[in-house]
């Protein structure tokens, strides 16, 4: 596990964007796993900014998002990750529509949708997966108790996640731990004091289902980027 500590959220977002841009330049058909939440907001701004300046071309990449609420309620569509990604990133860059993969929070056959998503990823292995981390150690929506061999599936959200994300959803769809672990390279981002304790537990503690992010310790190419506050206990 490589750990990079940067000064603040601004520097973290700049570095994460630079890594993605460099990788896309090197491999124009890169397959990227994207995350949502507060942490990558500025990363997406930076990527859009770089695209507008002509510094990067996303026309060859493929994307897979980590997770989605389920089932999507009509009056809460704005809180869906499909809406987040469209608003913050996809509608402002040139990724062909057919190259964008999102979990379908409206699916009528959810078992099939999850299986299809897993198969799509198997056919298009993720080169670079971006992750955030929950204060309870979740990655994607793999909440505490998630198994190491878990795949894309429906999960029950933990009360702390529902509260923190300010949603009324109790269930979600997420790539599994094993799906995430198959990514060739992983970048985990953590910013702010609220993440300091979970980052400490992930780095210093043992691998355990109680802290799903701890499984990442066994990944062969993972870089954890923290700002000073998130890294204050390590
Ligand atoms: P956050 O969420 O970026 O909003 O803190 C991260 C996560 O829950 O994975």
């Amino acid at each position: 596990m490589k750990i990079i500590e940067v000064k603040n959220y601004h520097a973290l977002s700049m570095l994460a964007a630079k890594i993605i841009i460099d990788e896309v330049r090197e491999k124009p058909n890169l397959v990227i796993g994207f995350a949502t939440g507060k942490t990558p907001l500025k990363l997406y701004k930076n990527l859009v900014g770089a695209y507008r300046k002509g510094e990067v071309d996303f026309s060859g990449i493929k994307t897979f998002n980590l997770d989605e609420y389920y089932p999507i309620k009509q009056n809460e569509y704005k809180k869906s990750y499909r809406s987040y990604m469209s608003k913050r990133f996809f509608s402002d860059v040139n990724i062909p529509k057919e190259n964008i993969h999102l979990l379908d929070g409206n699916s009528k056959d959810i078992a099939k949708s999850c299986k299809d998503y897993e198969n799509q990823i198997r056919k298009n292995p993720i080169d670079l997966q971006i992750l955030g981390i929950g204060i309870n150690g979740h990655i994607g929506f793999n909440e505490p108790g998630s198994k190491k061999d878990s795949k894309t599936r429906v999960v029950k959200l933990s009360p702390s996640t529902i509260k923190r994300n300010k949603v009324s959803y109790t269930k979600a769809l997420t790539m599994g731990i094993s799906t995430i672990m198959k990514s060739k390279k992983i970048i985990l981002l953590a910013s702010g004091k609220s993440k300091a304790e979970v980052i400490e537990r992930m780095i210093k503690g043992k691998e355990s289902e109680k802290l799903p992010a701890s499984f990442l310790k066994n990944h062969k190419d993972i870089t954890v980027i923290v700002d000073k506050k998130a890294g204050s206990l390590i």
Side-chain angles (χ1 to χ4, degrees), residues 36-40 132-135 138-141 161 164-165 195:
T36 47
K38 282 200 191 115
T39 311
I133 182 168
I135 52 169
H138 73 201
I139 46 173
F141 276 136
T161 299
R164 199 173 157 88
N165 290 12
K195 300 288 169 74

Side-chain angles (χ1 to χ4, degrees), residues 13-214:
S13 309
M14 293 271 284
L15 179 58
K18 184 182 178 322
I19 293 171
I20 294 176
I21 292 165
D22 286 349
E23 296 263 342
V24 173
R25 282 186 182 151
E26 197 167 307
K27 186 177 176 190
N29 63 347
L30 199 75
V31 182
I32 310 182
F34 280 119
T36 47
K38 282 200 191 115
T39 311
L41 282 173
K42 205 166 166 52
L43 160 64
Y44 292 127
K45 264 197 181 150
N46 292 344
L47 292 178
V48 170
Y51 167 71
R52 287 193 175 140
K53 282 193 233 152
E55 292 168 2
V56 61
D57 173 13
F58 292 113
S59 64
I61 73 163
K62 286 186 180 162
T63 76
F64 287 91
N65 260 78
L66 260 181
D67 46 16
E68 180 58 285
Y69 294 112
Y70 173 79
I72 297 292
K73 297 168 192 161
Q74 252 184 358
N75 60 342
E76 285 212 331
Y77 175 73
K78 280 192 188 147
K79 290 190 174 169
S80 74
Y81 289 156
R82 184 174 292 263
S83 155
Y84 171 117
M85 288 305 293
S86 162
K87 204 160 68 193
R88 316 279 184 183
F89 188 48
F90 293 147
S91 60
D92 291 323
V93 295
N94 64 337
I95 308 169
K97 249 197 171 122
E98 62 276 17
N99 289 6
I100 293 173
H101 302 87
L102 292 147
L103 281 157
D104 182 4
N106 283 315
S107 173
K108 298 273 180 292
D109 186 346
I110 204 60
K112 183 177 180 302
S113 292
C114 290
K115 210 170 165 191
D116 288 350
Y117 205 69
E118 195 74 28
N119 282 337
Q120 283 284 352
I121 295 175
R122 196 154 36 80
K123 282 188 217 144
N124 302 278
I126 295 174
D127 293 302
L128 174 62
Q129 175 67 53
I130 307 300
L131 292 178
I133 182 168
I135 52 169
N136 64 357
H138 73 201
I139 46 173
F141 276 136
N142 292 284
E143 301 282 30
S146 295
K147 304 260 182 270
K148 195 176 180 171
D149 61 359
S150 56
K151 293 191 171 143
T152 303
R153 67 202 188 287
V154 185
V155 291
K156 222 175 136 214
L157 293 173
S158 73
S160 79
T161 299
I162 295 170
K163 194 169 161 212
R164 199 173 157 88
N165 290 12
K166 299 191 179 77
V167 289
S168 63
Y169 291 107
T170 57
K171 286 191 207 161
L173 308 172
T174 186
M175 283 185 200
I177 302 283
S178 80
T179 327
I180 294 170
M181 289 297 280
K182 280 182 205 125
S183 311
K184 288 177 204 154
K185 183 186 182 89
I186 297 177
I187 306 283
L188 184 143
L189 305 173
S191 166
K193 209 169 147 218
S194 67
K195 300 288 169 74
E197 202 184 310
V198 73
I199 289 293
E200 180 191 28
R201 286 174 65 208
M202 174 179 76
I203 288 169
K204 296 187 185 165
K206 283 202 196 104
E207 183 187 308
S208 156
E209 280 172 18
K210 287 187 188 147
L211 196 85
S214 66

